Amino acid sequence: MGLDIPGATGSRPDAVPLDESGAEDLLRGICFKTGPPRTVGVELEWLIHDRERPDLPIGRERLDSAVEAVRALPLSAALTFEPGGQLELSSQPAGSLMECVDTTAADLAAVRASLGAAGLAPVGLGVDPWQPPHRRLREPRYEAMEAALDRAGPAGRAMMCTSASVQVCLDAGEEEPGPLGYGRRWQLAHLLGAVLVAAFANSPFQQGRRTGWRSTRQSLWADLDPGRTLAPGSGCAPREAWAAHVLDTTVLCIRCEEGPWDVPEGLTFREWIRTGSPRPPVRADLDYHLTTLFPPIRPRGHLELRMIDAQSGADGWLVPLAVATALFDDPEAAETVYRAVKPLAETAGSPAAPRNPLWTTAAREGLADPELRAAATVCFGAALPALERMGASGAVRDTVAAFTDRYVARGRCPADDLPEPGDLAGQSLLTDRSLLTGPIRLTGPVPPAGPDVPTGPVDRPARGPERGPERGPERLVAGPPTIPPTPPRPGKAASA
């Protein structure tokens, strides 16, 4: 028996029962690892659908065969599968935005080709518009998670089995105050996060019906166990607030070596430490407990931005990745955006995200809300020059610019352009590429502009053809440009 197994005995530090002060010290030490922002990563979740009939469920044997083929690919990213069969690619930490984009694009090209050989396609929507929740994975973790989340209603199963997101991972920031300081970035994330919810809302349907939310996915998160999905309180410094939040959140489950895992009700991690029952918790239990907390911004040494719906289109995923990286890591953009979103704190009020009026409006209204539209206009306007300063390629900047003109400048979000689920039933994703390459033209009315909100395209500096030692001149094409996939390179293949 390994000593790192919960309940094991021995001299290793991770097998020694935790005390309360030791747990607090650990949490303060690992939640925000500070330094100049240098690395970026992205976690992409995808719904998997039949290319010919995306409204029909995929048989288990067919999906299992496709999964095995994808697992065999030499990917740079870690590959996992979610309880409902969603595919997730988690990039390695990259030294620059472009490194992250290039390696992720290569991995996606390989995954798309493998799934395509089976007649399947990865679809970027925040919530499956057709299928009810159906859990395919029968591991103890998901058995326990389902039992725990069922206590709060059906949102837990829907989140586990039918949702997908783009999660951007950025360094926590510098220890010192300022636009790149971790305290400022933590505060910025909880206000800018609502703007990102609104701008990238892409899940207006569930089980064939319109839900009334632009981001049904975000509404599901808000309906889960509130302690598990809330941001920490704002009364303390970030490290202290997060440590207290972790210890005062209920334990989802207690792992064991045989049989189903225990799912206690109302037992916080702090109480578990104090009582030592049903067994004393060890470091591995605390590490696991951290993976069962789902706030919109999760500090894991770095900051994990978890509020963005999965994006339609071959390159839709890179827009939130590029925009978030630019707004957090470019000092000039970070300062501009902080000033723009700071007034949103009054709308948010005292409740923690995502259960406050600001985040609720973002999920329900998207950029039809004038206040969020005005903030998004400033944010995306700041992102474009920041991306140029950061050395983003012309293709990345053009893709962000196309999204800005199509959605942000018009007070719209991707959810506003999705066809009704019934309109896609019986159509082929091979011929109707709206979910693979993004909508070709706008549909529906454009919301009226609010006060001080421009109605035309966001201003951005003119840019000529880009040339470099490894890149020829780039052409501007109509519509959102596609980043040419580079051949997959050998890397680490990971499995769930």
Side-chain angles (χ1 to χ4, degrees):
M1 179 188 303
L3 297 179
D4 57 346
I5 298 174
T9 59
S11 59
R12 284 178 52 172
D14 57 4
V16 176
L18 286 172
D19 59 36
E20 199 168 335
S21 62
E24 290 174 342
D25 289 342
L26 278 170
L27 290 168
R28 285 192 293 265
I30 65 177
C31 58
F32 295 94
K33 296 181 178 178
T34 55
R38 292 192 177 95
T39 59
V40 59
V42 67
E43 299 177 17
L44 303 178
E45 295 174 342
W46 300 90
L47 305 170
I48 306 300
H49 284 286
D50 185 280
R51 291 175 66 92
E52 297 290 340
R53 289 297 305 271
D55 57 313
L56 296 182
I58 302 170
R60 185 174 187 87
E61 290 186 4
R62 183 184 180 197
L63 183 60
D64 288 347
S65 177
V67 165
E68 289 308 308
V70 173
R71 289 190 194 280
L73 296 173
L75 303 176
S76 171
L79 172 72
T80 55
F81 287 88
E82 298 298 305
Q86 311 97 305
L87 179 151
E88 179 177 318
L89 288 174
S90 301
S91 77
Q92 302 294 334
S96 69
L97 171 64
M98 286 311 304
E99 179 186 340
C100 186
V101 167
D102 289 342
T103 56
T104 303
D107 285 343
L108 274 174
V111 169
R112 289 183 191 278
S114 180
L115 291 175
L120 304 176
V123 173
L125 293 170
V127 170
D128 192 312
W130 298 287
Q131 302 303 320
H134 172 66
R135 185 160 56 88
R136 296 176 180 268
L137 300 183
R138 296 295 167 184
E139 300 169 7
R141 167 183 171 90
Y142 299 118
E143 299 282 351
M145 182 178 291
E146 185 176 88
L149 296 182
D150 276 352
R151 292 169 179 158
R157 293 194 183 204
M159 176 278 293
M160 290 172 62
C161 301
T162 65
S163 70
S165 68
V166 174
Q167 299 179 18
V168 181
C169 300
L170 302 168
D171 285 332
E174 298 174 342
E175 190 71 31
E176 296 77 14
L180 300 184
Y182 83 93
R184 169 77 71 86
R185 286 159 74 88
W186 180 245
Q187 182 182 10
L188 173 65
H190 287 88
L191 296 174
L192 177 59
V195 179
L196 298 178
V197 168
F200 295 111
N202 193 35
S203 52
F205 309 116
Q206 188 178 27
Q207 297 187 45
R209 296 184 296 274
R210 189 175 291 275
T211 65
W213 298 82
R214 258 68 168 202
S215 177
T216 302
R217 174 183 169 273
Q218 187 58 51
S219 77
L220 293 174
W221 282 108
D223 283 344
L224 293 182
D225 171 2
R228 198 168 306 285
T229 58
L230 282 182
S234 58
C236 301
R239 287 191 176 97
E240 285 66 30
W242 178 247
H245 178 72
V246 170
L247 295 183
D248 291 331
T249 300
T250 56
V251 174
L252 187 143
C253 60
I254 297 177
R255 298 176 295 171
C256 60
E257 298 173 47
E258 296 180 1
W261 294 359
D262 187 23
V263 184
E265 187 167 5
L267 176 69
T268 68
F269 202 94
R270 192 185 302 277
E271 291 167 339
W272 188 13
I273 292 175
R274 290 176 177 177
T275 63
S277 177
R279 60 169 176 80
V282 296
R283 168 67 186 272
D285 292 310
L286 181 60
D287 292 340
Y288 183 79
H289 178 60
L290 289 169
T291 71
T292 69
L293 306 185
F294 311 120
I297 299 95
R298 186 162 63 179
R300 305 185 65 182
H302 57 274
L303 299 182
E304 185 180 77
L305 309 184
R306 303 174 50 85
M307 74 292 294
I308 302 168
D309 281 359
Q311 297 295 291
S312 305
D315 301 332
W317 58 273
L318 73 82
V319 180
L321 169 63
V323 169
T325 304
L327 298 184
F328 275 87
D329 288 2
D330 179 84
E332 183 177 337
E335 187 63 33
T336 298
V337 169
Y338 180 73
R339 292 195 299 267
V341 302
K342 192 174 181 180
L344 297 178
E346 184 175 348
T347 301
S350 58
R355 288 191 167 196
N356 64 41
L358 176 66
W359 282 69
T360 300
T361 299
R364 188 183 296 278
E365 304 295 335
L367 294 187
D369 177 76
E371 186 179 31
L372 287 164
R373 179 181 178 183
T377 300
V378 174
C379 293
F380 278 74
L384 288 164
L387 287 170
E388 187 168 11
R389 290 191 293 268
M390 296 172 68
S393 71
V396 168
R397 285 181 278 145
D398 288 345
T399 303
V400 172
F403 184 99
T404 304
D405 289 344
R406 173 176 290 161
Y407 296 118
V408 179
R410 298 170 182 264
R412 299 177 66 83
C413 61
D416 294 321
D417 283 352
L418 290 175
E420 296 290 332
D423 294 338
L424 278 178
Q427 296 188 28
S428 170
L429 289 179
L430 289 169
T431 55
D432 186 326
R433 300 183 61 79
S434 62
L435 296 184
L436 295 179
T437 59
I440 296 174
R441 55 184 177 272
L442 289 168
T443 59
V446 176
D452 303 320
V453 178
T455 57
V458 174
D459 290 338
R460 56 182 180 273
R463 180 179 55 78
E466 177 183 294
R467 290 179 173 85
E470 298 178 357
R471 183 183 297 272
E474 296 179 358
R475 294 186 303 157
L476 296 179
V477 296
T482 298
I483 293 181
T486 54
R489 67 181 189 182
K492 180 181 68 175
S495 60

